């Protein structure tokens, strides 16, 4: 299953979950969405709510953050871009270079925010410096690597490195367990006769359906939480989640092992 199937889902106006997190300033939600590699450059509109909030054009999440003067959101998005840009396997385009419907860059939106707010509140020193930071970060000529530094974009030492190594070892073990279980299941299915419940249709199967793809049977049980997933989704989870232990999609508990689930009613 591809997590981007959900993380990039769009409303009628084009809004994605990332737009909403940026527009509401929910940093933890934003970080959770960035974990699943969302599209930073989808164009979306807040409609009448956007007009009320000063977000009038269809733009990217970075346009939304710039129109709100939200430096924290801009930092998280640009840090994510920087981390992806230093990875040779999956680099992405600089989100500061994408224009909204009015042909404005996030940098242009930040300049407008700075001009309007510093005119209205000329004595607000904190606002003045925040606007300066916003404009500087969104200036495409500003190097993201210089902005954050190599260590922030590519952690490679200390506790973070040990956590990554432990997570990688655990995932390798889970993939090995998965391969062994797949071999056992394939061998059993090759010699097994059709079950009587197959003739009865799908009665009772809804509770044993994989909660990720909502298609295949949840033939694996995760430990220690005992929730079920299907084999292809488990393999996809192991292969895609980098840097952290594989977590159950339902309760978010770290997966320590897997076994074949009982499919009896």
């Amino acid at each position: 299953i591809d997590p981007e199937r959900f993380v990039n889902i769009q409303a009628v106006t084009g809004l994605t979950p990332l737009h909403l997190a940026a527009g509401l300033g929910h940093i933890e939600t934003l970080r959770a969405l960035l974990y699943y590699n969302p599209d930073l450059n989808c164009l979306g509109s807040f409609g009448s709510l956007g007009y009320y909030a000063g977000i009038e054009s269809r733009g990217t999440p970075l346009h939304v953050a710039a129109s709100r003067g939200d430096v924290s959101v801009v930092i998280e998005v640009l840090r994510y871009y920087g981390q992806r840009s230093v990875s040779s396997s999956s680099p992405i385009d600089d989100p500061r270079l994408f224009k909204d419907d009015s042909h404005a860059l996030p940098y242009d939106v930040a300049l407008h925010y700075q001009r309007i707010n510093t005119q209205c509140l000329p004595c607000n020193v904190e606002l003045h410096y925040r606007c300066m930071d916003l404009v500087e970060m969104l200036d495409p000529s500003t190097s993201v690597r210089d902005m954050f530094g190599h260590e922030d974009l590519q952690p490679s030492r200390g506790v973070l490195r040990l956590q990554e190594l432990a997570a990688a070892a655990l995932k390798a073990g889970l993939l090995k367990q998965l391969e062994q279980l797949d071999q056992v299941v394939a061998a059993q299915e090759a010699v097994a006769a059709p079950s009587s419940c197959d003739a009865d249709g799908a009665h009772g199967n809804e509770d044993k359906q994989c909660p990720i793809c909502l298609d295949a049977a949840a033939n694996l049980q995760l430990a220690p939480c005992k929730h079920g997933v299907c084999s292809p989704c488990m393999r996809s989870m192991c292969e895609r989640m980098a840097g952290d232990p594989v977590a159950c999609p339902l309760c978010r508990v770290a997966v320590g092992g897997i076994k074949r689930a009982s499919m009896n009613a």
Side-chain angles (χ1 to χ4, degrees), residues 16-254:
T16 65
L18 202 64
H19 281 94
L20 296 174
L24 295 172
H26 289 180
I27 299 300
E28 292 303 319
T29 302
L30 187 80
R31 289 172 179 164
L33 292 169
L34 291 174
Y35 183 80
Y36 290 99
N37 302 325
D39 185 351
L40 300 182
N41 303 313
C42 284
L43 293 180
S45 169
F46 279 82
S48 59
L49 288 177
Y51 180 80
Y52 178 76
I55 310 171
E56 300 181 27
S57 300
R58 292 179 70 248
T60 68
L62 209 53
H63 285 95
V64 174
S67 67
R68 297 181 65 253
D70 199 325
V71 174
S72 297
V73 170
V74 172
I75 288 174
E76 293 299 326
V77 172
L78 292 183
R79 179 185 286 117
Y80 168 79
Y81 158 68
Q83 290 170 343
R84 289 287 301 271
S85 66
V86 299
S87 170
S88 60
S89 59
S90 55
I92 58 175
D93 294 326
D94 190 337
R96 297 175 297 178
L97 299 178
F98 284 79
K99 299 180 179 181
D100 63 12
D101 272 359
S102 64
H103 305 290
L105 296 171
Y107 173 71
D108 300 319
V109 177
L111 285 174
H112 177 73
Y113 176 89
Q114 180 186 45
R115 182 170 60 253
I116 296 298
N117 285 276
T118 53
Q119 287 176 355
C120 295
L121 300 168
C123 297
N124 191 323
V125 177
E126 181 182 352
L127 177 63
H128 176 73
Y129 281 108
R130 187 178 71 188
C131 289
M132 289 179 60
D133 289 341
L134 186 72
V135 169
E136 182 179 3
M137 286 189 294
L138 291 175
D139 185 344
S141 66
T142 302
S143 169
V144 172
R145 296 192 185 193
D146 293 341
M147 192 186 307
F148 293 102
H150 180 75
E151 291 299 321
D152 197 12
L153 295 182
Q154 193 174 8
S156 59
R157 295 186 298 179
V159 175
L160 283 177
R161 179 57 177 164
L162 293 175
Q163 290 175 342
E164 291 174 358
L165 292 173
L170 179 58
K171 288 173 194 175
L174 290 174
L175 285 170
K176 185 175 181 179
Q177 290 182 42
L178 184 59
E179 183 178 356
Q180 293 171 344
L181 287 171
D182 284 345
Q183 292 174 353
V184 171
V185 170
Q188 291 176 343
E189 289 179 348
V191 298
S195 172
S196 59
C197 64
D198 292 338
D200 294 334
H203 178 70
N205 281 348
E206 291 182 356
D207 292 339
K208 300 182 183 300
Q209 195 176 51
C210 176
I212 302 178
C213 64
L214 303 178
D215 183 23
N219 59 346
L220 299 178
Q221 185 181 84
L222 309 180
C225 65
K226 298 185 179 180
H227 286 128
V229 298
C230 71
S231 180
C233 287
M234 183 63 203
R235 183 175 298 278
S236 178
M237 286 166 56
C238 289
E239 292 174 347
R240 291 186 63 89
M241 296 180 70
D244 292 301
V246 177
C248 171
L250 296 180
C251 65
R252 307 310 300 169
V253 170

